Amino acid sequence: MTYRGQHLLSVKDISLESIDELFRVAELMRPYATRQKMTRVLQGAVLGNMFFEPSTRTRVSFGSAFNLLGGEVRETTGLSNSALAKGESLYDTAQVLSGYSDVIVMRHPAAHSVSEFAEGSRVPVINGGDGPNEHPTQALLDLFTIKNELARLGQNIQQLSLTLLGDLKYGRTVHSLCHLLSLYHGLKIQLISPDALKLPTAYVDMLSNAGHQIEIGSDLEKGLSQANIIYQTRIQEERFSSEEEAARYKGYFRLNKKIYSEHCLPDAVIMHPLPRDSRNNANELDNDLNEEPGLAIFRQTDNGVLVRMALFACILGVKDQLSKYESEVNWQVGLK
Ligand code: CP
């Protein structure tokens, strides 16, 4: 895809070339995202940020990314606060909202709902997560983080040994990431989950067909031992048929400082799409790892802003005009 004037609904639409271009533009965003400079390249543009399912990172980082480019954000949160609760169709909602916006980001609990919405939209629509189906921009920022973290260790993507850990059955971020990893060849991928939460066969086949070396198991310590990148996930309790069923798997894998220092490679990178479940019965990624240099979870969330800024700049056709609308930052940045 070329991005300009296009929807981003699925990772299946993305080629390796378009990923490389997006990541090149994302790097250009670093001075603006870290407040060394500002740009008003999207002054006057409006983002419709429509979140019909809970979100912290995706909603706020999309909004921040648009603001950092000089644009305005209008948003709605929760199905019950929208006219969808009165029976309005996704098509009608899209017709209306696309009259108010230059680009729309949407999250919705139903699979394929964002594509249905896009059919009624007169402006580009970005999928911010459609139920258990896809989360394309999370996969992009995850891949961006994997490449950056490997580079920090003096390695490249062909040296990736990735352990995907936790709820691989329902985790849409894992499914979307598998699609992007299938664009590469010959990587090492370990799939570690409880038996009942294995990665669906279609994704395993996709990874195998790309020529990756796949290991499947449920032994945490073995799964961690060969990884230079560990990608931990949350048990997706909202996708289970009952709370009791989800509770069976909460806390099944707990990654903490002791396990990390005893079983992981030195410098192994820990990623997580977040939120991590820090409640006592889960505690899947312990706070005692917070000071570990390998814990990349907040570098990962920061990268989300860069990648989402790049997407807006590419979709709205301003990626080559950033510096033309640039100015100095005149406030104190960060803590003194
Ligand atoms: N990773 C992610 O999608 O987080 P939110 O649910 O907070 O948006």
Side-chain angles (χ1 to χ4, degrees), residues 60-129:
V60 180
S61 67
F62 265 119
S64 295
F66 210 75
N67 287 149
L68 285 164
L69 292 167
E72 302 280 342
V73 182
R74 295 285 173 271
E75 62 181 20
T76 188
T77 55
L79 269 171
S80 59
N81 295 329
S82 83
L84 290 170
K86 300 179 196 169
E88 186 166 53
S89 67
L90 287 168
Y91 179 88
D92 284 4
T93 307
Q95 281 287 330
V96 173
L97 295 176
S98 57
Y100 304 160
S101 318
D102 294 288
V103 57
I104 294 173
V105 176
M106 181 175 159
R107 172 175 286 191
H108 190 283
H112 309 294
S113 52
V114 183
S115 298
E116 188 184 335
F117 177 90
E119 283 170 20
S121 176
R122 292 169 275 156
V123 300
V125 175
I126 300 174
N127 184 354

Side-chain angles (χ1 to χ4, degrees), residues 126-200:
I126 300 174
N127 184 354
D130 59 332
N133 187 41
E134 282 210 36
H135 194 345
T137 63
Q138 180 72 43
L140 286 166
L141 79 88
D142 287 343
L143 181 59
F144 183 80
T145 303
I146 287 171
K147 292 182 89 166
N148 268 268
E149 291 296 317
L150 289 172
R152 190 176 61 80
L153 300 175
Q155 298 174 5
N156 63 45
I157 189 82
Q158 284 313 131
Q159 290 162 292
L160 177 65
S161 173
L162 174 70
T163 291
L164 296 170
L165 186 64
D167 182 352
L168 307 186
K169 178 177 179 185
Y170 294 115
R172 64 186 173 193
T173 70
V174 168
H175 302 168
S176 291
L177 183 57
C178 286
H179 274 285
L180 294 190
L181 292 172
S182 304
L183 299 173
Y184 296 88
H185 304 281
L187 308 178
K188 288 188 185 156
I189 302 178
Q190 293 75 238
L191 305 169
I192 307 299
S193 67
D195 264 354
L197 299 181
K198 278 184 179 162
L199 188 70

Side-chain angles (χ1 to χ4, degrees), residues 54-58 107 135 138 273-275:
S55 170
T56 296
R57 274 143 294 274
T58 313
R107 172 175 286 191
H135 194 345
Q138 180 72 43
L274 300 184

Side-chain angles (χ1 to χ4, degrees), residues 145-285:
T145 303
I146 287 171
K147 292 182 89 166
N148 268 268
E149 291 296 317
L150 289 172
R152 190 176 61 80
L153 300 175
Q155 298 174 5
N156 63 45
I157 189 82
Q158 284 313 131
Q159 290 162 292
L160 177 65
S161 173
L162 174 70
T163 291
L164 296 170
L165 186 64
D167 182 352
L168 307 186
K169 178 177 179 185
Y170 294 115
R172 64 186 173 193
T173 70
V174 168
H175 302 168
S176 291
L177 183 57
C178 286
H179 274 285
L180 294 190
L181 292 172
S182 304
L183 299 173
Y184 296 88
H185 304 281
L187 308 178
K188 288 188 185 156
I189 302 178
Q190 293 75 238
L191 305 169
I192 307 299
S193 67
D195 264 354
L197 299 181
K198 278 184 179 162
L199 188 70
T201 313
Y203 294 103
V204 177
D205 291 346
M206 186 192 304
L207 294 171
S208 294
N209 292 340
H212 300 320
Q213 198 178 308
I214 313 291
E215 277 185 33
I216 300 174
S218 55
D219 182 335
L220 174 67
E221 292 163 8
K222 186 163 177 280
L224 293 175
S225 63
Q226 354 170 12
N228 51 11
I229 307 267
I230 298 154
Y231 187 101
Q232 167 75 301
T233 63
R234 182 176 60 87
I235 299 297
Q236 305 283 299
E237 58 191 307
E238 63 277 32
R239 315 275 178 229
F240 284 75
S241 51
S242 69
E243 276 181 30
E244 292 72 34
E245 195 196 348
R248 257 183 253 156
Y249 303 106
K250 279 193 170 191
Y252 194 99
F253 293 131
R254 293 172 188 234
L255 187 50
N256 56 30
K257 197 176 174 77
K258 183 171 187 296
I259 292 173
Y260 181 73
S261 52
E262 288 178 5
H263 299 286
C264 296
L265 293 175
D267 300 326
V269 172
I270 304 169
M271 293 174 56
H272 190 303
L274 300 184
R276 58 175 155 172
D277 190 341
S278 295
R279 290 171 288 193
N280 284 341
N281 62 342
N283 199 22
E284 60 207 16
L285 199 51

